[in-house]
Amino acid sequence: MVEDEDDDRYRAPALDKGLDILELLAGVDGGLTQAEIAKKLDRSPNEFYRMLDRLVRRGYVTRPDGDRYALTLKLFGLAQLHAPVRRLVSYATPLMRELAETSQQANQLVVFDRGSAVVIAQQEAPDYWGISIRVGAHVSLFDTGSGHVLLAFRSPEERQMMISEHLRSTDKPPQSPEFFARLDQIRERGYEMMASMQTAGVFNLSAPVLGSDGRAIAALSIPYVTLVNAPKAPDITGTIELLLAATEKLSQLAGAAAKQAK
Protein backbone atom coordinates (compact mmCIF):
# COMPACT_ATOMS: atom_id res chain seq x y z
CA MET A 1 0.00 0.00 0.00
CA VAL A 2 2.83 2.37 0.83
CA GLU A 3 4.43 1.53 -2.50
CA ASP A 4 1.21 2.46 -4.33
CA GLU A 5 1.04 5.76 -2.45
CA ASP A 6 4.64 6.50 -3.44
CA ASP A 7 3.81 5.71 -7.06
CA ASP A 8 0.89 8.16 -6.97
CA ARG A 9 2.99 10.82 -5.28
CA TYR A 10 5.45 10.90 -8.18
CA ARG A 11 2.96 10.64 -11.01
CA ALA A 12 3.26 13.09 -13.90
CA PRO A 13 -0.19 13.06 -15.55
CA ALA A 14 0.83 15.01 -18.66
CA LEU A 15 3.83 12.75 -19.25
CA ASP A 16 1.68 9.66 -18.69
CA LYS A 17 -0.82 10.97 -21.22
CA GLY A 18 1.87 11.51 -23.84
CA LEU A 19 3.38 8.07 -23.25
CA ASP A 20 -0.07 6.46 -23.45
CA ILE A 21 -0.55 8.05 -26.88
CA LEU A 22 2.86 6.93 -28.15
CA GLU A 23 2.38 3.37 -26.91
CA LEU A 24 -1.10 3.20 -28.44
CA LEU A 25 0.01 4.50 -31.84
CA ALA A 26 2.98 2.13 -31.87
CA GLY A 27 0.58 -0.80 -31.97
CA VAL A 28 -1.68 0.27 -34.86
CA ASP A 29 -1.30 0.60 -38.62
CA GLY A 30 -2.69 3.61 -40.46
CA GLY A 31 -3.01 5.87 -37.43
CA LEU A 32 -6.01 6.93 -35.36
CA THR A 33 -8.20 10.01 -35.13
CA GLN A 34 -8.30 12.07 -31.96
CA ALA A 35 -11.70 10.59 -31.13
CA GLU A 36 -10.41 7.03 -31.66
CA ILE A 37 -7.42 7.71 -29.41
CA ALA A 38 -9.70 9.05 -26.69
CA LYS A 39 -12.04 6.05 -26.98
CA LYS A 40 -9.24 3.50 -26.78
CA LEU A 41 -7.73 5.25 -23.77
CA ASP A 42 -11.15 5.78 -22.17
CA ARG A 43 -10.73 9.54 -21.92
CA SER A 44 -12.37 12.68 -23.29
CA PRO A 45 -11.17 13.79 -26.78
CA ASN A 46 -10.58 17.31 -25.48
CA GLU A 47 -7.96 15.96 -23.06
CA PHE A 48 -5.66 15.00 -25.93
CA TYR A 49 -5.74 18.04 -28.21
CA ARG A 50 -2.81 19.94 -26.69
CA MET A 51 -0.74 16.81 -26.13
CA LEU A 52 -1.21 15.65 -29.73
CA ASP A 53 -0.33 19.12 -30.97
CA ARG A 54 2.93 19.07 -29.01
CA LEU A 55 3.81 15.55 -30.17
CA VAL A 56 3.25 16.60 -33.80
CA ARG A 57 5.31 19.78 -33.38
CA ARG A 58 8.17 17.82 -31.78
CA GLY A 59 8.14 15.25 -34.58
CA TYR A 60 7.06 12.18 -32.61
CA VAL A 61 3.65 11.99 -34.28
CA THR A 62 2.54 12.93 -37.80
CA ARG A 63 -0.80 13.58 -39.47
CA PRO A 64 -0.54 11.64 -42.76
CA ASP A 65 -4.03 12.45 -44.05
CA GLY A 66 -5.25 15.40 -42.01
CA ASP A 67 -7.39 14.01 -39.21
CA ARG A 68 -5.46 10.83 -38.35
CA TYR A 69 -2.39 10.67 -36.15
CA ALA A 70 0.42 8.17 -36.69
CA LEU A 71 3.72 7.50 -34.98
CA THR A 72 6.87 8.69 -36.76
CA LEU A 73 10.28 7.01 -36.53
CA LYS A 74 11.76 9.74 -34.34
CA LEU A 75 11.87 7.44 -31.31
CA PHE A 76 13.66 4.88 -33.45
CA GLY A 77 16.12 7.56 -34.52
CA LEU A 78 16.76 8.61 -30.93
CA ALA A 79 17.37 5.01 -29.97
CA GLN A 80 20.04 4.78 -32.65
CA LEU A 81 21.99 7.63 -31.09
CA HIS A 82 22.99 5.77 -27.95
CA ALA A 83 25.18 2.80 -27.09
CA PRO A 84 23.87 0.30 -29.71
CA VAL A 85 24.98 2.62 -32.53
CA ARG A 86 28.41 3.04 -30.98
CA ARG A 87 28.57 -0.73 -30.59
CA LEU A 88 27.57 -1.21 -34.24
CA VAL A 89 30.34 1.16 -35.33
CA SER A 90 32.87 -0.69 -33.17
CA TYR A 91 31.89 -4.00 -34.81
CA ALA A 92 31.87 -2.45 -38.26
CA THR A 93 35.21 -0.63 -38.13
CA PRO A 94 37.56 -3.63 -38.63
CA LEU A 95 35.27 -5.10 -41.30
CA MET A 96 35.11 -1.76 -43.11
CA ARG A 97 38.90 -1.47 -42.95
CA GLU A 98 39.28 -4.98 -44.38
CA LEU A 99 36.71 -4.21 -47.09
CA ALA A 100 38.60 -1.07 -48.10
CA GLU A 101 41.85 -3.02 -48.34
CA THR A 102 40.44 -5.89 -50.39
CA SER A 103 38.25 -3.78 -52.67
CA GLN A 104 40.63 -0.81 -52.96
CA GLN A 105 37.53 1.37 -52.50
CA ALA A 106 36.20 3.65 -49.77
CA ASN A 107 33.04 2.62 -47.88
CA GLN A 108 30.47 4.15 -45.52
CA LEU A 109 28.04 2.88 -42.89
CA VAL A 110 24.67 4.64 -43.00
CA VAL A 111 21.58 4.54 -40.74
CA PHE A 112 18.15 6.17 -40.87
CA ASP A 113 17.75 9.03 -38.40
CA ARG A 114 14.75 11.37 -38.23
CA GLY A 115 14.02 11.67 -41.91
CA SER A 116 17.49 11.26 -43.36
CA ALA A 117 20.09 8.63 -44.15
CA VAL A 118 23.05 9.59 -41.96
CA VAL A 119 26.68 8.47 -42.31
CA ILE A 120 27.85 7.15 -38.93
CA ALA A 121 31.21 5.70 -40.03
CA GLN A 122 33.44 5.85 -43.08
CA GLN A 123 36.63 4.19 -44.24
CA GLU A 124 38.80 5.80 -46.87
CA ALA A 125 40.33 3.89 -49.76
CA PRO A 126 43.85 2.63 -49.02
CA ASP A 127 45.37 4.39 -52.02
CA TYR A 128 45.40 8.11 -52.70
CA TRP A 129 42.24 8.05 -54.85
CA GLY A 130 38.69 7.34 -53.69
CA ILE A 131 35.30 8.89 -52.91
CA SER A 132 34.58 9.53 -49.24
CA ILE A 133 31.63 11.09 -47.41
CA ARG A 134 32.14 12.77 -44.05
CA VAL A 135 30.70 11.22 -40.90
CA GLY A 136 27.49 13.01 -39.95
CA ALA A 137 26.56 13.82 -43.55
CA HIS A 138 22.85 13.49 -44.41
CA VAL A 139 22.09 11.82 -47.74
CA SER A 140 18.84 11.32 -49.61
CA LEU A 141 16.62 8.28 -49.26
CA PHE A 142 15.46 8.66 -52.85
CA ASP A 143 18.59 8.97 -55.00
CA THR A 144 21.36 7.09 -53.16
CA GLY A 145 22.14 3.41 -52.83
CA SER A 146 22.16 3.68 -49.03
CA GLY A 147 18.72 5.28 -48.98
CA HIS A 148 17.28 2.67 -51.31
CA VAL A 149 18.61 -0.20 -49.19
CA LEU A 150 17.37 1.31 -45.91
CA LEU A 151 13.89 1.55 -47.43
CA ALA A 152 13.94 -1.77 -49.28
CA PHE A 153 14.56 -3.88 -46.20
CA ARG A 154 11.66 -2.47 -44.18
CA SER A 155 7.95 -3.26 -44.16
CA PRO A 156 5.65 -1.21 -46.41
CA GLU A 157 4.31 0.63 -43.34
CA GLU A 158 7.79 1.51 -42.14
CA ARG A 159 8.76 2.67 -45.64
CA GLN A 160 5.84 5.08 -45.69
CA MET A 161 6.75 6.48 -42.27
CA MET A 162 10.37 6.97 -43.32
CA ILE A 163 9.34 8.64 -46.58
CA SER A 164 6.84 10.91 -44.80
CA GLU A 165 9.58 12.08 -42.43
CA HIS A 166 12.01 12.54 -45.30
CA LEU A 167 9.57 14.63 -47.33
CA ARG A 168 9.35 17.15 -44.50
CA SER A 169 13.04 17.95 -44.95
CA THR A 170 13.31 17.91 -48.76
CA ASP A 171 11.63 19.51 -51.75
CA LYS A 172 11.62 16.27 -53.74
CA PRO A 173 8.16 15.09 -54.86
CA PRO A 174 6.50 11.87 -53.63
CA GLN A 175 7.88 8.79 -55.33
CA SER A 176 6.27 6.89 -58.20
CA PRO A 177 5.05 3.26 -58.24
CA GLU A 178 8.20 2.43 -60.24
CA PHE A 179 10.30 3.57 -57.30
CA PHE A 180 8.58 1.13 -54.95
CA ALA A 181 8.91 -1.63 -57.54
CA ARG A 182 12.64 -0.94 -57.57
CA LEU A 183 12.77 -1.26 -53.78
CA ASP A 184 11.14 -4.69 -54.07
CA GLN A 185 13.72 -5.69 -56.68
CA ILE A 186 16.55 -4.56 -54.39
CA ARG A 187 15.13 -6.63 -51.55
CA GLU A 188 14.90 -9.70 -53.79
CA ARG A 189 18.42 -9.18 -55.20
CA GLY A 190 19.95 -8.42 -51.79
CA TYR A 191 21.79 -5.22 -52.72
CA GLU A 192 21.61 -2.02 -54.77
CA MET A 193 23.84 -1.12 -57.70
CA MET A 194 23.14 2.20 -59.40
CA ALA A 195 24.94 4.99 -61.18
CA SER A 196 25.57 7.85 -58.77
CA MET A 197 23.11 10.71 -59.19
CA GLN A 198 25.64 13.09 -57.64
CA THR A 199 29.00 12.25 -59.25
CA ALA A 200 29.67 11.13 -62.83
CA GLY A 201 31.60 7.90 -63.22
CA VAL A 202 30.69 6.56 -59.77
CA PHE A 203 28.47 3.57 -59.01
CA ASN A 204 26.68 3.26 -55.68
CA LEU A 205 26.98 -0.28 -54.31
CA SER A 206 24.98 -0.80 -51.13
CA ALA A 207 23.93 -3.81 -49.04
CA PRO A 208 21.95 -4.09 -45.79
CA VAL A 209 23.13 -4.86 -42.30
CA LEU A 210 20.19 -6.89 -41.05
CA GLY A 211 18.80 -7.42 -37.59
CA SER A 212 17.54 -10.80 -36.48
CA ASP A 213 14.06 -9.83 -37.74
CA GLY A 214 15.33 -9.24 -41.28
CA ARG A 215 14.97 -5.46 -41.09
CA ALA A 216 17.81 -3.19 -42.17
CA ILE A 217 19.49 -1.53 -39.21
CA ALA A 218 22.13 0.04 -41.46
CA ALA A 219 23.46 0.09 -45.01
CA LEU A 220 27.10 -0.48 -45.92
CA SER A 221 27.91 1.31 -49.15
CA ILE A 222 30.79 1.64 -51.58
CA PRO A 223 31.04 4.57 -54.03
CA TYR A 224 32.72 2.43 -56.68
CA VAL A 225 35.14 3.98 -59.15
CA THR A 226 37.07 2.09 -61.83
CA LEU A 227 40.76 2.19 -60.91
CA VAL A 228 42.74 2.29 -64.15
CA ASN A 229 46.04 2.45 -62.24
CA ALA A 230 45.30 -0.63 -60.09
CA PRO A 231 44.96 -3.63 -62.44
CA LYS A 232 44.77 -6.09 -59.52
CA ALA A 233 41.82 -4.34 -57.91
CA PRO A 234 38.56 -6.33 -58.15
CA ASP A 235 36.04 -5.33 -60.79
CA ILE A 236 32.54 -4.21 -59.84
CA THR A 237 31.22 -7.78 -59.65
CA GLY A 238 34.04 -8.84 -57.35
CA THR A 239 33.52 -5.74 -55.24
CA ILE A 240 29.83 -6.57 -54.78
CA GLU A 241 30.81 -10.04 -53.55
CA LEU A 242 33.21 -8.51 -51.02
CA LEU A 243 30.52 -6.07 -49.88
CA LEU A 244 27.95 -8.83 -49.38
CA ALA A 245 30.44 -10.91 -47.39
CA ALA A 246 31.16 -7.92 -45.13
CA THR A 247 27.49 -7.15 -44.49
CA GLU A 248 26.76 -10.80 -43.74
CA LYS A 249 29.51 -10.83 -41.10
CA LEU A 250 28.34 -7.54 -39.63
CA SER A 251 24.72 -8.74 -39.52
CA GLN A 252 25.83 -11.84 -37.62
CA LEU A 253 27.79 -9.74 -35.12
CA ALA A 254 24.89 -7.33 -34.63
CA GLY A 255 22.45 -10.20 -34.17
CA ALA A 256 24.65 -11.96 -31.62
CA ALA A 257 25.08 -8.72 -29.68
CA ALA A 258 21.32 -8.15 -29.64
CA LYS A 259 20.71 -11.63 -28.20
CA GLN A 260 23.29 -11.05 -25.47
CA ALA A 261 21.65 -7.76 -24.54
CA LYS A 262 18.27 -9.45 -23.90
Side-chain angles (χ1 to χ4, degrees), residues 65-173:
D65 61 2
D67 64 343
R68 303 186 76 80
Y69 295 87
L71 196 65
T72 71
L73 294 180
K74 185 172 182 179
L75 286 173
F76 175 74
L78 290 175
Q80 289 188 318
L81 296 179
H82 74 310
V85 169
R86 295 196 296 272
R87 188 160 54 241
L88 177 62
V89 172
S90 71
Y91 293 148
T93 298
L95 293 174
M96 293 172 68
R97 188 179 301 119
E98 179 183 1
L99 177 61
E101 290 289 341
T102 54
S103 69
Q104 300 291 295
Q105 305 281 342
N107 59 76
Q108 295 90 34
L109 188 66
V110 182
V111 299
F112 180 80
D113 177 29
R114 285 170 287 182
S116 296
V118 182
V119 178
I120 61 170
Q122 76 97 18
Q123 182 65 48
E124 294 188 2
D127 210 343
Y128 63 86
W129 173 253
I131 304 293
S132 63
I133 305 175
R134 64 176 174 80
V135 172
H138 288 218
V139 300
S140 173
L141 288 179
F142 298 152
D143 56 17
T144 65
S146 299
H148 289 181
V149 162
L150 290 171
L151 287 170
F153 290 85
R154 290 298 185 92
S155 69
E157 295 78 16
E158 287 175 312
R159 288 180 188 176
Q160 289 296 343
M161 286 186 190
M162 294 166 73
I163 288 171
S164 294
E165 289 190 42
H166 189 61
L167 287 173
R168 290 202 292 269
S169 61
T170 181
D171 58 0
K172 294 182 181 298

Side-chain angles (χ1 to χ4, degrees), residues 183-223:
L183 296 182
D184 292 336
Q185 292 170 0
I186 293 167
R187 188 182 184 102
E188 183 176 349
R189 186 171 59 225
Y191 64 90
E192 171 66 302
M193 178 178 69
M194 59 179 283
S196 172
M197 299 182 71
Q198 292 78 33
T199 308
V202 176
F203 280 85
N204 291 337
L205 310 180
S206 186
V209 179
L210 299 175
S212 58
D213 57 1
R215 298 160 64 227
I217 57 177
L220 185 58
S221 301
I222 294 175

